[in-house]
Amino acid sequence: MMSSENSEPIDLLDLKMLPAWVKETPDAKEYANFEGETADERPRRDRGPRDRERKRPAPSGERRERRGPPPQRDGRDRRPQDRQHAPERPPLQIGLRFVPHPPAFESVAAQIKGDLLAYSLYSLARLFLQKPERYDVHLTAKPESPLFQLGEDGAISSDRTGLESGAFRFAQNDFYKIDITQSEPIKGNFTSVARDRLSGTLLGPTNHHAYQPRLRSLYEQRFSRRMSFPDFQRQIEISTDPAQVEQWKEEARTITAFTTLKEEPPLTFNIAAEAERHFRQAYLPNLVRPVEETIIDGVSSRNVGDRAVRSAIEDAWSAQTRSPSQMMAELSNRFREAGLHILRHRKGMLFVTPVRARIFAHEQTGVSDQVRAIFDTVAANPRIHRKDLAEKVLVDLAAEEAEARKLALASDLRWLISEGYVIEFNDGSLDLPRAKAKPVESSASVPLATETENASETLAPPLEAGGS
């Protein structure tokens, strides 16, 4: 499993400040910050109406004035045809599930157990999906879309050749000790440097001894899967900018030494290309393996090097933020395993609570007038809050008994909530459990019903983003 060291604890205070039925609008661009290719490296394509509006051509007269007279139609002055890009690969058909990150889940479960509130399962699912530190991504390969992994917990890709091509870059720290030192300043009068337009990499003067190795190494590491070497060479430009010449001189002073960690005696390579050649001969043949399923943490999922896998994760995450039914199912099962209860309430909404909800037959005798008043008031005013409940129940009280009655009301209400007869939601509202069937008498002095709603049998997505 690819995992991240940092795990941010979740504080449920925000959910206590917001109504359970409030639906927050997800940020659909969370995965826009993937560390992939730069904008210059992406194929040029029309990205939307705004871009088309920016690129709207100027009036014909103005265009003619800018570009001069039209060329002769003799076939010798024609503009070169735009190069055809390779067709994009179809979307991957892989299984994707978002599951709560264990430390984040344990933090949430502990907070729910620490009070008597019922939390919206929908809101909790959205809370887990909100930040990558809070979820993991479970990937399952299919026959038509195999997956490959570098080592036991390395990079994931759907393209074995591409993974092998970038393997040295991904795994070099596992096999080599890397030391970076500074050499003497570069001597010589250099007035220009070659620069790769796609990545912005400075390769040095074309007559410098390190130019050809750097050119070939850059191509093999980043562009060999996307274009031929002659096409890549056509992207190289010559810059005479003195600032870029000085920048190259400073970069060329840096010497990176690679010392093997798994060989005795250790071998040292002062050129990255030589270290990579050794890596491919000694380690790569047994390093890339097919995997049927694997789990990566949310942070790593936003930095997957394979664009097809990254796109599949992004699409699945966007769908889940709109309707997090799959994450709700994952949370529901794990909450039950943690000893919590899943409650289905009004409009089919699901809530998690540390208390098992039950029906209290308050219409029967043996119940105090104040308890009966609590039930009648909550039944007549769903989602009522404690303050409003007190104002409706405690009326026409003498000053000397007001404080005692308030304490008695708070005590009765807490007992009813702790026994599951009244539900207090995370936004502070109160309601009665939803009855599923006619209450069945128990052997206790006060008739009770069995559980109001057995939500453990089926778990359906909410009908709406509401609460109680």
Side-chain angles (χ1 to χ4, degrees):
M1 170 180 173
M2 297 173 60
S3 61
S4 174
E5 296 295 333
N6 298 325
S7 179
E8 176 190 355
I10 300 179
D11 190 352
L12 297 185
L13 180 62
D14 290 343
L15 291 185
K16 295 180 182 180
M17 304 299 291
L18 293 175
W21 57 88
V22 170
K23 180 178 181 181
E24 300 173 11
T25 302
D27 184 356
K29 297 182 179 179
E30 288 284 346
Y31 274 74
N33 293 324
F34 271 130
E35 291 184 9
E37 298 170 322
T38 62
D40 290 337
E41 292 177 293
R42 301 189 189 105
R44 296 182 181 272
R45 58 181 179 271
D46 192 3
R47 289 183 171 83
R50 293 186 179 178
D51 286 336
R52 289 195 293 269
E53 194 171 320
R54 291 194 204 101
K55 298 176 183 178
R56 183 175 296 161
S60 59
E62 184 178 344
R63 293 201 306 273
R64 196 176 297 114
E65 182 179 347
R66 287 181 188 170
R67 67 191 182 197
Q72 297 293 326
R73 299 295 182 185
D74 58 359
R76 293 175 299 175
D77 198 21
R78 292 176 182 171
R79 296 173 182 269
Q81 295 295 324
D82 291 336
R83 193 169 55 213
Q84 296 295 324
H85 292 288
E88 294 187 1
R89 295 166 58 188
L92 285 182
Q93 302 300 317
I94 59 175
L96 280 164
R97 289 191 298 118
F98 292 85
V99 298
H101 190 54
F105 175 81
E106 292 168 6
S107 172
V108 168
Q111 292 180 68
I112 295 176
K113 291 179 179 180
D115 53 38
L116 301 175
L117 302 178
Y119 287 87
S120 163
L121 201 61
Y122 178 92
S123 297
L124 288 172
R126 290 283 307 283
L127 193 67
F128 274 92
L129 291 166
Q130 190 177 50
K131 293 187 177 182
E133 298 87 356
R134 301 172 180 174
Y135 62 80
D136 297 330
V137 185
H138 188 282
L139 298 92
T140 305
K142 295 184 179 181
E144 62 272 21
S145 296
L147 291 174
F148 303 92
Q149 188 166 24
L150 197 62
E152 293 298 324
D153 57 357
I156 297 290
S157 178
S158 60
D159 180 3
R160 181 169 193 148
T161 303
L163 188 59
E164 291 176 345
S165 177
F168 178 71
R169 182 160 44 96
F170 296 138
Q172 56 183 278
N173 290 321
D174 297 330
F175 296 92
Y176 301 90
K177 177 186 176 184
I178 301 176
D179 297 311
I180 300 176
T181 57
Q182 295 288 325
S183 66
E184 294 294 327
I186 300 295
K187 297 180 180 180
N189 184 22
F190 298 103
T191 59
S192 64
V193 290
R195 175 181 177 272
D196 170 34
R197 287 182 296 178
L198 296 178
S199 63
T201 303
L202 295 175
L203 301 170
T206 56
N207 60 347
H208 192 265
H209 66 88
Y211 171 72
Q212 288 295 337
R214 282 179 60 83
L215 179 69
R216 176 61 69 171
S217 176
L218 179 63
Y219 170 73
E220 293 293 342
Q221 289 185 8
R222 302 192 63 173
F223 303 105
S224 59
R225 288 181 298 153
R226 299 166 47 201
M227 63 181 71
S228 66
F229 186 65
D231 285 341
F232 172 68
Q233 287 181 302
R234 281 191 279 270
Q235 306 298 324
I236 305 302
E237 64 180 6
I238 303 300
S239 172
T240 57
D241 183 358
Q244 292 192 346
V245 174
E246 291 301 318
Q247 180 183 345
W248 166 77
K249 286 184 176 181
E250 191 63 28
E251 292 176 356
R253 290 184 57 197
T254 302
I255 298 178
T256 304
F258 298 83
T259 304
T260 57
L261 298 173
K262 301 180 182 295
E263 295 185 13
E264 290 295 339
L267 303 175
T268 300
F269 304 93
N270 292 324
I271 299 177
E274 294 179 355
E276 183 172 357
R277 189 177 303 112
H278 173 267
F279 170 82
R280 293 185 177 280
Q281 294 174 351
Y283 306 123
L284 184 59
N286 299 320
L287 198 57
V288 176
R289 62 188 183 93
V291 292
E292 294 184 359
E293 58 180 354
T294 187
I295 298 178
I296 59 177
D297 65 273
V299 174
S300 298
S301 74
R302 298 191 176 189
N303 298 286
V304 173
D306 187 297
R307 287 183 294 174
V309 175
R310 191 170 69 238
S311 178
I313 295 174
E314 178 182 1
D315 292 343
W317 179 87
S318 298
Q320 275 297 297
T321 54
R322 291 191 297 269
S323 178
S325 56
Q326 179 262 313
M327 176 61 88
M328 291 173 64
E330 294 286 346
L331 288 174
S332 177
N333 292 332
R334 300 196 184 200
F335 280 137
R336 289 194 186 96
E337 293 173 358
L340 297 168
H341 303 279
I342 302 300
L343 163 71
R344 189 182 298 277
H345 200 53
R346 298 178 187 272
K347 300 181 180 179
M349 293 300 300
L350 295 170
F351 296 83
V352 57
T353 171
V355 182
R356 190 183 189 91
R358 298 183 289 175
I359 295 295
F360 192 104
H362 63 281
E363 299 87 355
Q364 305 296 329
T365 58
V367 182
S368 69
D369 292 340
Q370 181 161 273
V371 170
R372 192 185 303 276
I374 291 174
F375 278 109
D376 291 341
T377 304
V378 174
N381 302 274
R383 297 203 296 262
I384 191 172
H385 284 69
R386 287 173 175 259
K387 180 180 178 181
D388 299 327
L389 176 66
E391 291 177 353
K392 291 180 179 296
V393 173
L394 304 177
V395 294
D396 300 328
L397 295 179
E400 57 273 11
E401 63 174 334
E403 191 63 28
R405 288 288 300 277
K406 287 180 181 180
L407 293 176
L409 176 63
S411 177
D412 288 342
L413 185 58
R414 178 173 179 79
W415 179 79
L416 292 171
I417 293 172
S418 66
E419 292 296 320
Y421 303 135
V422 173
I423 305 170
E424 184 172 20
F425 295 94
N426 56 272
D427 66 331
S429 62
L430 304 168
D431 208 344
L432 301 181
R434 187 178 69 168
K436 181 180 180 181
K438 183 178 179 181
V440 180
E441 291 188 358
S442 69
S443 58
S445 58
V446 179
L448 301 176
T450 56
E451 184 182 4
T452 61
E453 191 74 29
N454 186 5
S456 62
E457 306 238 349
T458 57
L459 178 61
L463 300 180
E464 62 181 64
S468 56

